[in-house]
């Protein structure tokens, strides 16, 4: 796996708004089978139970009935078994929440692996999300409780804070920060890049909404065309429609949010250099910190010589005699590279 990662690891660089969406679509397409399997395993059972509960609440099953006043013609809805109906609704809400959190977290993990050159696996991604289910639930709960009053008071502050917190989930899954720390981490990454972040989110969610709407209208048309006359047909059509919508849109949403998260880290923290260091065996810096420059005690890099100190050459470097007289530029500690980023092919000596 390590060799495969080294062979395919990307050369990360800052991306424009359109490039982020383009990269997300490519990752989504190239890993579609893995991503679809992640969502299918989680969402299909949830959709089946939801369709069964919804169908059981139809007028044919006497949980909800209607009566018409013969004089006024006004219809009245009667809840014959309210406790049973509300229990069914509660089951649907809980199962949908659990399924959404697990599938979303697993898709974020799979997309992150694919973007960093690894080969995503649906089983390990689901296991990763399951082990962090509590943290995922807590981040989403804290964000929801904080955003609801803002949206209720005024729409614009809610949108502004929502965009600032938009990469909290990938930050939590990738860096291990939890709860309010994940929200704060997202806030710091988005700061100074709010409008480009907003643009990526608008484009991504609009594309996901279009896909979801097409599927919804298609299966609604099937029900209106005659499939809705049978309870079994309602369950089948509802399950397939809901599952297909989630299978197609959940991975895509995770893809563009994850690519956005890594782009913000590349711009603000030199994440591409950190990834390179990890690939050649150097210890990465703590989360949120940038790897320091080489110590001042090391010899200064030459401005001339038979070979440049790194590629591309530094400004002002000219080919010529080695000014050091053949003295090595290597640092005293052989486990450290002579300069940063390390020269191509450099690796720490084996112990």
């Amino acid at each position: 796996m390590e060799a495969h990662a080294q062979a395919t690891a990307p050369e990360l660089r800052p991306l424009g708004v359109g490039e982020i969406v383009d990269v997300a679509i490519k990752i989504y397409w190239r890993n579609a089978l893995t991503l679809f399997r992640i969502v299918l395993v989680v969402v299909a059972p949830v959709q089946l139970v939801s369709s069964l509960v919804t169908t059981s609440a139809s007028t044919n099953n006497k949980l909800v009935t209607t009566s018409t006043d013969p004089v006024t013609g006004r219809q009245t809805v009667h809840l014959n078994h309210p406790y049973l109906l509300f229990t069914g609704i509660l089951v649907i809400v809980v199962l949908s929440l659990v399924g959404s959190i697990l599938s979303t977290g697993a898709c974020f993990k799979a997309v992150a692996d694919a973007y960093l050159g690894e080969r995503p696996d649906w089983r390990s991604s689901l296991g990763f999300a399951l082990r962090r289910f509590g943290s995922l639930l807590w981040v989403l709960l804290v964000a929801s409780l904080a955003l609801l009053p803002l949206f209720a008071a005024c729409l614009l502050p809610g949108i502004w804070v929502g965009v600032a917190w938009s990469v909290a989930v990938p930050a939590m899954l990738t860096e291990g920060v939890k709860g309010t720390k994940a929200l704060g981490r997202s806030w710091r990454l988005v700061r100074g890049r709010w409008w480009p972040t907003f643009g990526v989110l608008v484009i991504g969610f609009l594309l996901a909404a279009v896909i979801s709407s097409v599927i919804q209208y298609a299966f609604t048309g099937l029900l209106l065309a005659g499939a809705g006359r049978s309870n079994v047909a309602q369950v089948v059509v509802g399950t397939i429609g809901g599952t297909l919508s989630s299978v197609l849109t959940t991975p895509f949403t995770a893809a563009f949010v994850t690519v956005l998260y890594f782009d913000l880290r590349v711009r603000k923290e030199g994440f591409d250099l950190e990834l390179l260091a990890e690939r050649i065996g150097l210890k990465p810096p703590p989360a949120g910190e940038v790897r320091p420059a080489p110590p001042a005690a090391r010899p200064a890099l030459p401005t001339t010589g038979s070979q440049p100190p790194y590629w591309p050459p530094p400004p002002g470097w000219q080919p010529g005699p080695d000014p050091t007289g053949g003295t090595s530029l290597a640092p005293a500690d052989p486990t450290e590279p002579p300069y940063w980023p390390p020269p191509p092919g450099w690796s720490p000596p084996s112990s």
Side-chain angles (χ1 to χ4, degrees):
M1 178 64 69
E2 182 179 355
H4 176 81
Q6 291 180 356
T8 61
E11 298 298 331
L12 302 182
R13 62 176 179 83
L15 303 175
V17 172
E19 289 179 306
I20 292 176
V21 177
D22 179 64
V23 170
I25 293 175
K26 290 178 179 177
I27 292 176
Y28 171 81
W29 182 253
R30 292 170 183 170
N31 301 276
L33 293 180
T34 299
L35 295 170
F36 292 168
R37 188 176 298 181
I38 289 172
V39 183
L40 185 64
V41 168
V42 177
V43 172
V46 174
Q47 288 293 335
L48 178 60
V49 174
S50 299
S51 297
L52 289 172
V53 173
T54 302
T55 304
S56 68
S58 65
T59 55
N60 294 334
N61 291 283
K62 307 302 182 182
L63 288 178
V64 180
T65 58
T66 60
S67 61
T68 303
D69 190 306
V71 178
T72 62
R74 179 180 300 175
Q75 288 190 338
T76 304
V77 178
H78 303 280
L79 300 180
N80 299 325
H81 304 283
Y83 295 108
L84 182 60
L85 180 62
F86 292 146
T87 300
I89 294 175
L90 180 62
V91 169
I92 292 176
V93 171
V94 172
L95 287 178
S96 299
L97 179 63
V98 172
S100 175
I101 291 175
L102 283 179
S103 59
T104 300
C107 284
F108 272 116
K109 169 62 175 172
V111 170
D113 287 345
Y115 188 59
L116 297 180
E118 299 287 344
R119 180 174 298 173
D121 177 74
W122 70 275
R123 292 185 182 88
S124 61
S125 297
L126 280 173
F128 183 90
L130 186 61
R131 291 189 297 272
R132 291 158 179 80
F133 177 79
S135 299
L136 282 166
L137 178 61
W138 179 240
V139 168
L140 296 175
L141 182 62
V142 171
S144 299
L145 292 178
L147 288 174
L148 283 177
L150 291 175
F151 278 112
C154 184
L155 184 62
L156 293 181
I159 294 176
W160 190 84
V161 176
V163 172
W165 287 348
S166 59
V167 294
V169 171
M172 189 219 78
L173 294 173
T174 305
E175 304 176 43
V177 291
K178 300 179 180 179
T180 55
K181 292 183 178 180
L183 298 176
R185 174 70 170 142
S186 176
W187 187 288
R188 291 189 296 273
L189 287 174
V190 175
R191 185 169 51 198
R193 295 285 302 170
W194 192 94
W195 282 108
T197 301
F198 176 74
V200 172
L201 295 176
V202 168
I203 295 173
F205 282 119
L206 281 177
L207 291 175
V210 169
I211 296 173
S212 179
S213 298
V214 169
I215 296 172
Q216 179 182 354
Y217 288 134
F219 281 87
T220 301
L222 288 177
L223 290 175
L224 294 176
R229 299 173 184 174
S230 168
N231 288 343
V232 175
Q234 290 181 17
V235 172
V236 172
V237 172
T239 300
I240 295 176
T243 302
L244 185 60
S245 176
S246 297
V247 164
L248 294 178
T249 58
T250 300
F252 178 68
T253 302
F256 72 78
V257 174
T258 301
V259 175
L260 172 63
Y261 161 76
F262 283 117
D263 179 71
L264 292 171
R265 289 196 64 184
V266 168
R267 290 177 178 276
K268 295 197 168 188
E269 301 172 349
F271 181 75
D272 50 347
L273 302 182
E274 179 180 328
L275 178 62
L276 173 62
E278 293 178 355
R279 285 160 55 191
I280 62 176
L282 294 180
K283 183 179 179 181
E289 297 184 11
V290 182
R291 186 177 298 278
R298 296 181 183 173
L301 297 176
T303 58
T304 63
S306 59
Q307 295 291 332
Y310 49 82
W311 192 263
W317 183 87
Q318 296 292 332
D322 189 345
T324 64
T327 303
S328 173
L329 294 177
D333 185 358
T335 62
E336 290 290 329
Y339 46 82
W340 189 258
W346 185 91
S347 61
S350 58
S351 56

